[in-house]
Amino acid sequence: MYYNGIYHLFYQYNPKGAVWGNIVWAHSVSKDLINWEALDRAIYPSKWFDINGCWSGSATILPGNKPVILYTGIDPKQRQIQNYAVPKNLSDPYLREWVKPDDNPLVDPDKSVNASAFRDPTTAWWVDGHWRTLIGSRRKHRGIAYLYRSKDFKRWVKAKHPLHSAAKTGMWECPDFFPVSLSGQNGLDTSVVEENIKHVFKVSLDRTRYEYYTVGTYDLKKDRYIPDNTSVDGWAGLRFDYGNFYASKTFFDPSKNRRILWGWANESDSVKDDKEKGWAGIQAIPRKIWLDANGKQVLQWPVEELETLRGPKVQLGNQKLQKGEHIEVKGITAAQADVDVTFSFPSLDKAERFDPKWANIDALDVCAQKGSKVQGGLGPFGLLTLASEKLEEFTPVFFRIFKAQTKHVVLLCSDARSSSLGSGLYKPPFAGWVDVHLTKKKLSLRSLIDNSVVESFGAEGKTVILSRVYPTLAVFGKAHLFVFNNGSETIKVENLNAWSMKKPLMNAPIRI
């Protein structure tokens, strides 16, 4: 949340190790979303209503500029119940200490609710004299976002119908629900309900460990959410990120009139038994998020403050890449870099045929078949990131263009299969389709490279993929960066800008 000039990040944290368990709410503060100071934990198990865990939730700013946290507590019977916490001292600019009043819990699951699957309350919004919040759940295999209403933020009543639900999607974790403007990039406060807006509804699916979202309409009279016919629920739907990205949350930043998305770059090789095997992760780069002009999807872009970490810059332009060619981008720290490149091609004639079967499978399966080493027509072309000198290791981020019956189809891949010589690592290919017109015969790609993370934004933020990788050779000063083309059509690097990136200040005191 943003409060009185300071950004507050609360996150699930195990103080005893990088595995799942012993979860508390850690707390860090920043003036710019980049340089952070860690504070003492904000919330931890201490009372009967959260004695077995303080799980995820959200922050809301109440009238009078009073912040409140809604979170899921695990009670002595292992039931998931919804609690609140407030700052102990509002005059403390850091809001270091939080108290959990004894009138908790605010929401106790009734008999119609699965108390073992009832968690992660959203930021509340105010409409027609009532606060509203969503709580993720499931009934058998149906994912559910229960809607609760309150006049005073203390007494909450479950609505007759959920805000939204979908069959065969399993548990809906970390739901998020927020308005987006139909024009421009400005964000909207969560409580804004007016004409010329749509709503985005996002869930994290426990069954797949991926996130999915839809764009649609919030029917105020019925208090229901209706996805547009361009969006579908479940794992055939849209994703904020097609890679290692989970449990995301957005918030409205009034200081810059924008909505910020932040997620967890998880690193598990299992989607079945995470509680037993353990999950570890890092925070992805915060992103600005807004609705695409086509009204069908969101766009994302790294927050502008990230550019303050840019150091020495190199440029490359009007560089042709023939089939099988790769050219090194020299003069930067390739292990920690920001790369922004535009590729162009003279014709679409050599695009490969799009197999109609691919319309019914995940894009990553196409990437697995058509990797960076498989020669094509128009592509693969893109970047070889975190590459060793002789390419024993590299993480390619690339485009392939196909010709379907009525249009061209663009695939963006981030393929970790060649990322490391290490054994026993999770090295999947990730991919997403890019909904872009190719009338200008150009595609842009921005990749943020940070030692074990490659975070890529295709076509100005239409498709985003974050990959966790663990090279053994391409580390620190031994990492290299290349542009490459492995298609028969010649590709031109129209313009490439790359910067060495400095480290942010972590745990240094911020100035108030």
Side-chain angles (χ1 to χ4, degrees):
M1 69 176 182
Y2 180 84
Y3 182 73
N4 286 355
I6 294 178
Y7 296 99
H8 294 258
L9 170 65
F10 302 97
Y11 50 101
Q12 300 275 272
Y13 175 63
N14 180 359
K16 296 183 180 181
V19 294
W20 196 94
N22 312 301
I23 296 298
V24 304
W25 276 49
H27 184 195
S28 294
V29 290
S30 173
K31 293 279 285 185
D32 58 8
L33 288 170
I34 301 298
N35 302 289
W36 291 87
E37 177 183 356
L39 305 178
D40 289 340
R41 56 191 179 174
I43 304 174
Y44 52 91
S46 65
K47 295 191 175 184
W48 74 265
F49 48 77
D50 65 7
I51 196 62
N52 285 314
C54 295
W55 289 8
S56 195
S58 301
T60 302
I61 308 297
L62 300 183
N65 200 29
K66 296 178 180 179
V68 59
I69 285 172
L70 294 176
Y71 72 100
T72 299
I74 311 301
D75 74 5
K77 296 180 181 180
Q78 299 297 327
R79 296 162 68 250
Q80 298 173 17
I81 57 181
Q82 314 312 316
N83 305 313
Y84 78 106
V86 293
K88 184 176 182 179
N89 179 9
L90 281 175
S91 64
D92 174 10
Y94 280 18
L95 302 179
R96 290 177 177 86
E97 295 184 79
W98 292 73
V99 295
K100 300 175 289 186
D102 289 333
D103 57 352
N104 275 303
L106 291 184
V107 178
D108 208 335
D110 61 32
K111 293 182 180 180
S112 69
V113 172
N114 182 349
S116 67
F118 182 63
R119 55 187 178 266
D120 310 335
T122 66
T123 296
W125 69 98
W126 175 266
V127 178
D128 294 339
H130 286 82
W131 288 102
R132 290 161 168 81
T133 188
L134 302 179
I135 301 170
S137 187
R138 67 174 170 85
R139 185 184 299 122
K140 294 185 177 180
H141 301 297
R142 174 175 286 274
I144 298 173
Y146 285 117
L147 175 67
Y148 284 77
R149 303 188 191 99
S150 174
K151 290 183 178 181
D152 58 6
F153 221 87
K154 291 290 187 71
R155 292 173 290 276
W156 292 84
V157 177
K158 182 159 69 77
K160 184 178 179 180
H161 301 287
L163 181 87
H164 192 48
S165 69
K168 299 179 181 180
T169 53
M171 175 65 196
W172 282 3
E173 294 191 307
C174 304
D176 201 3
F177 185 60
F178 56 91
V180 285
S181 174
L182 288 176
S183 60
Q185 298 184 13
N186 283 348
L188 298 171
D189 181 85
T190 309
S191 293
V192 169
V193 179
E194 59 186 34
E195 295 182 359
N196 299 318
I197 70 169
K198 284 185 179 289
H199 272 75
V200 173
F201 177 78
K202 184 275 306 183
V203 292
S204 305
L205 292 193
D206 195 31
R207 288 175 61 178
T208 65
R209 287 288 157 169
Y210 295 125
E211 300 198 311
Y212 304 85
Y213 76 91
T214 56
V215 178
T217 301
Y218 177 27
D219 185 334
L220 270 176
K221 292 182 179 179
K222 296 181 180 179
D223 247 348
R224 303 290 282 269
Y225 168 73
I226 303 98
D228 291 346
N229 58 13
T230 57
S231 301
V232 296
D233 288 302
W235 42 85
L238 298 168
R239 300 185 204 171
F240 287 158
D241 192 298
Y242 290 82
N244 292 106
F245 191 83
Y246 195 71
S248 72
K249 184 77 184 82
T250 66
F251 71 96
F252 177 62
D253 176 6
S255 71
K256 294 198 174 181
N257 231 21
R258 60 186 175 178
R259 182 162 287 272
I260 301 295
L261 167 70
W262 219 350
W264 176 43
N266 58 302
E267 54 177 17
S268 174
D269 62 352
S270 170
V271 300
K272 298 178 181 178
D273 51 0
D274 55 289
K275 298 294 189 295
E276 287 75 22
K277 297 187 70 172
W279 281 78
I282 62 169
Q283 301 297 329
I285 294 295
R287 307 169 182 174
K288 180 179 174 180
I289 183 171
W290 67 99
L291 187 66
D292 190 357
N294 66 18
K296 298 178 182 180
Q297 68 166 94
V298 297
L299 300 178
Q300 302 166 69
W301 201 247
V303 292
E304 60 186 2
E305 290 90 338
L306 183 69
E307 296 172 13
T308 63
L309 296 180
R310 286 175 172 174
K313 175 183 177 181
V314 297
Q315 291 181 289
L316 188 66
N318 294 316
Q319 176 69 58
K320 289 186 177 181
L321 294 170
Q322 306 294 337
K323 177 182 176 180
E325 193 171 11
H326 62 275
I327 297 175
E328 184 168 6
V329 180
K330 297 182 178 180
I332 59 167
T333 56
Q336 200 161 295
D338 182 353
V339 187
D340 199 348
V341 57
T342 299
F343 299 99
S344 66
F345 28 90
S347 169
L348 294 167
D349 293 344
K350 293 184 180 180
E352 301 166 79
R353 174 181 171 271
F354 181 83
D355 189 332
K357 297 177 183 177
W358 294 343
N360 299 315
I361 65 174
D362 198 303
L364 67 83
D365 294 321
V366 182
C367 180
Q369 294 177 33
K370 298 279 189 175
S372 65
K373 299 175 185 177
V374 179
Q375 293 186 352
L378 195 44
F381 60 86
L383 300 172
L384 302 180
T385 71
L386 295 174
S388 57
E389 184 177 9
K390 297 181 180 179
L391 297 183
E392 301 97 334
E393 294 180 336
F394 60 93
T395 299
V397 185
F398 59 93
F399 294 106
R400 292 189 87 110
I401 301 174
F402 301 95
K403 178 68 172 69
Q405 189 169 1
T406 60
K407 64 178 181 178
H408 286 87
V409 180
V410 179
L411 181 71
L412 175 65
C413 296
S414 183
D415 191 350
R417 290 177 295 179
S418 56
S419 63
S420 178
L421 297 177
S423 61
L425 296 173
Y426 179 52
K427 300 187 291 184
F430 288 122
W433 302 110
V434 189
D435 185 8
V436 63
H437 296 292
L438 296 175
T439 50
K440 295 183 179 180
K441 300 184 181 66
K442 293 183 179 181
L443 283 169
S444 67
L445 175 65
R446 184 179 179 187
S447 288
L448 307 174
I449 304 162
D450 189 5
N451 295 288
S452 72
V453 183
V454 181
E455 199 165 348
S456 300
F457 299 77
E460 299 181 334
K462 280 182 173 285
T463 301
V464 184
I465 304 175
L466 188 153
S467 292
R468 297 298 308 274
V469 294
Y470 304 95
T472 60
L473 301 177
V475 297
F476 303 115
K478 295 182 180 179
H480 299 262
L481 173 70
F482 300 88
V483 289
F484 83 99
N485 174 34
N486 210 10
S488 58
E489 180 63 85
T490 299
I491 301 297
K492 181 192 287 187
V493 178
E494 288 273 333
N495 189 39
L496 181 147
N497 295 301
W499 295 264
S500 297
M501 296 296 279
K502 297 173 287 186
K503 292 183 178 181
L505 298 176
M506 301 304 292
N507 298 331
I510 65 171
R511 294 181 179 180
I512 302 300

